[in-house]
């Protein structure tokens, strides 16, 4: 199974940009990169996904390295509400590997 | 639109008791998953299902059984609860993966079941 690695934690100041990295050196050509976040005492929620090109939505941006072996979730202006655990996972779009594993994620703290 | 609903929200069991956690989704999703979350451990996959009548083992399946008799429901059973099964359990569902413009299969999670085994 392709796996991802993330730092355990990061800190940010409120209203500043945050770059959350994820390494996936064994990514296959059919893997989408997904990001989820989990607020305290809640279930994880979907943030963004991408395959090769950078992606933007109302929550965040996803920058994908040219070789696809790493990606970065970008929060353009961190708010206190963005303090959460962020997970990066790979999802095979063919459905060949349905065993989705999450790992520990990266805990983001936001300072006022 | 309820999404993914988990019942119960909280439960306390004594060692050796049994129980079933229910996950129900109203989005006609093919894929369903059960995860457990312990402090400092992230999410760990217990079992999953890629369709009605099918189940498969995840990372930590021991001590749990599952059933997917109906497409919308995924049941997680503990036959003889142990203190090590004290955890928060999350269910998730998604549609079939696809490619390009047909790709629309993020996971949708429930709000979790907090289980304590004494």
């Amino acid at each position: 199974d392709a796996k991802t690695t993330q730092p355990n934690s990061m800190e940010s100041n409120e209203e500043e940009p945050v770059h959350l990295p994820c390494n996936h050196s064994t990514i296959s050509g059919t893997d989408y990169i997904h990001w989820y976040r989990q607020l305290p005492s809640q279930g994880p929620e979907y943030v963004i996904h991408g395959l090769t090109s950078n992606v933007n939505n109302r929550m965040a941006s996803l920058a994908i390295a040219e070789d696809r072996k790493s990606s970065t979730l970008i929060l353009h202006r961190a708010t206190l509400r963005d303090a959460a655990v962020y997970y990066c996972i790979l999802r095979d779009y063919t459905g060949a590997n349905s065993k989705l594993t999450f790992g520990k994620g990266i805990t983001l703290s936001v300072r006022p | 639109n309820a999404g993914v609903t988990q019942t119960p929200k909280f439960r306390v069991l004594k060692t050796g008791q049994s129980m079933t956690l229910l996950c129900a989704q109203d989005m006609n999703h093919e894929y369903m998953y059960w995860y457990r979350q312990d402090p400092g451990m992230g999410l760990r996959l217990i079992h999953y299902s890629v369709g009605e009548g099918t189940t498969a083992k995840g990372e930590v399946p021991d001590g749990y059984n599952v059933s997917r008799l109906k497409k919308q429901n995924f049941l997680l059973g503990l036959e003889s609860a142990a203190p090590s099964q004290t955890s928060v359990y999350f269910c998730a569902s998604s549609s079939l993966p696809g490619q390009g413009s047909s790709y629309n299969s993020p996971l949708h999670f429930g709000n979790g079941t907090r289980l304590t085994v004494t």
Side-chain angles (χ1 to χ4, degrees):
Chain A
D1 295 348
K3 293 191 181 299
T4 63
T5 57
Q6 301 176 259
N8 288 333
S9 63
M10 284 188 69
E11 288 188 343
S12 173
N13 294 319
E14 197 175 10
E15 299 188 0
E16 291 185 355
V18 180
H19 291 232
L20 302 174
C22 181
N23 288 320
H24 27 80
S25 58
T26 59
I27 191 171
S28 78
T30 56
D31 282 329
Y32 270 84
I33 302 159
H34 280 234
W35 282 82
Y36 292 81
R37 75 175 183 181
Q38 185 175 21
L39 301 172
S41 301
Q42 294 187 24
E45 62 177 345
Y46 165 79
V47 176
I48 199 166
H49 73 270
L51 185 63
T52 57
S53 303
N54 294 345
V55 184
N56 299 299
N57 67 20
R58 63 175 180 82
M59 293 180 70
S61 296
L62 177 60
I64 302 172
E66 193 169 339
D67 63 5
R68 301 210 322 127
K69 293 185 177 182
S70 66
S71 62
T72 302
L73 181 70
I74 302 167
L75 307 178
H76 294 287
R77 289 185 70 209
T79 68
L80 296 178
R81 192 184 178 278
D82 291 323
V85 179
Y86 288 80
Y87 299 94
C88 165
I89 69 167
L90 302 179
R91 181 127 205 232
D92 186 332
Y93 66 69
T94 68
N97 177 20
S98 304
K99 189 176 177 179
L100 298 182
T101 57
F102 271 72
K104 297 182 181 181
I106 178 170
T107 300
L108 174 66
S109 304
V110 180
R111 292 184 289 258
Chain B
N1 187 0
V4 178
T5 303
Q6 292 183 233
T7 53
K9 291 183 172 53
F10 303 93
R11 185 72 186 268
V12 178
L13 287 179
K14 293 185 178 180
T15 298
Q17 288 185 319
S18 63
M19 79 163 294
T20 300
L21 281 68
L22 171 64
C23 177
Q25 52 93 6
D26 61 2
M27 296 171 283
N28 200 34
H29 284 168
E30 293 291 337
Y31 290 13
M32 297 188 76
Y33 300 83
W34 274 110
Y35 293 90
R36 62 176 288 175
Q37 186 169 42
D38 304 301
M41 297 295 292
L43 290 163
R44 292 188 291 171
L45 180 64
I46 306 172
H47 286 281
Y48 64 101
S49 168
V50 299
E52 181 179 323
T54 72
T55 63
K57 294 180 179 180
E59 303 170 279
V60 289
D62 294 342
Y64 305 95
N65 56 75
V66 287
S67 65
R68 185 96 182 268
L69 298 180
K70 293 183 179 181
K71 185 177 183 179
Q72 63 268 33
N73 295 336
F74 196 27
L75 278 62
L76 178 69
L78 286 74
E79 290 187 346
S80 179
S84 61
Q85 294 177 305
T86 293
S87 188
V88 180
Y89 292 84
F90 289 101
C91 176
S93 71
S94 79
S95 55
L96 287 169
Q99 188 180 3
S101 60
S102 67
Y103 187 83
N104 182 25
S105 58
L107 292 173
H108 297 256
F109 283 84
N111 288 327
T113 294
R114 186 174 295 276
L115 175 65
T116 301
V117 183
T118 62

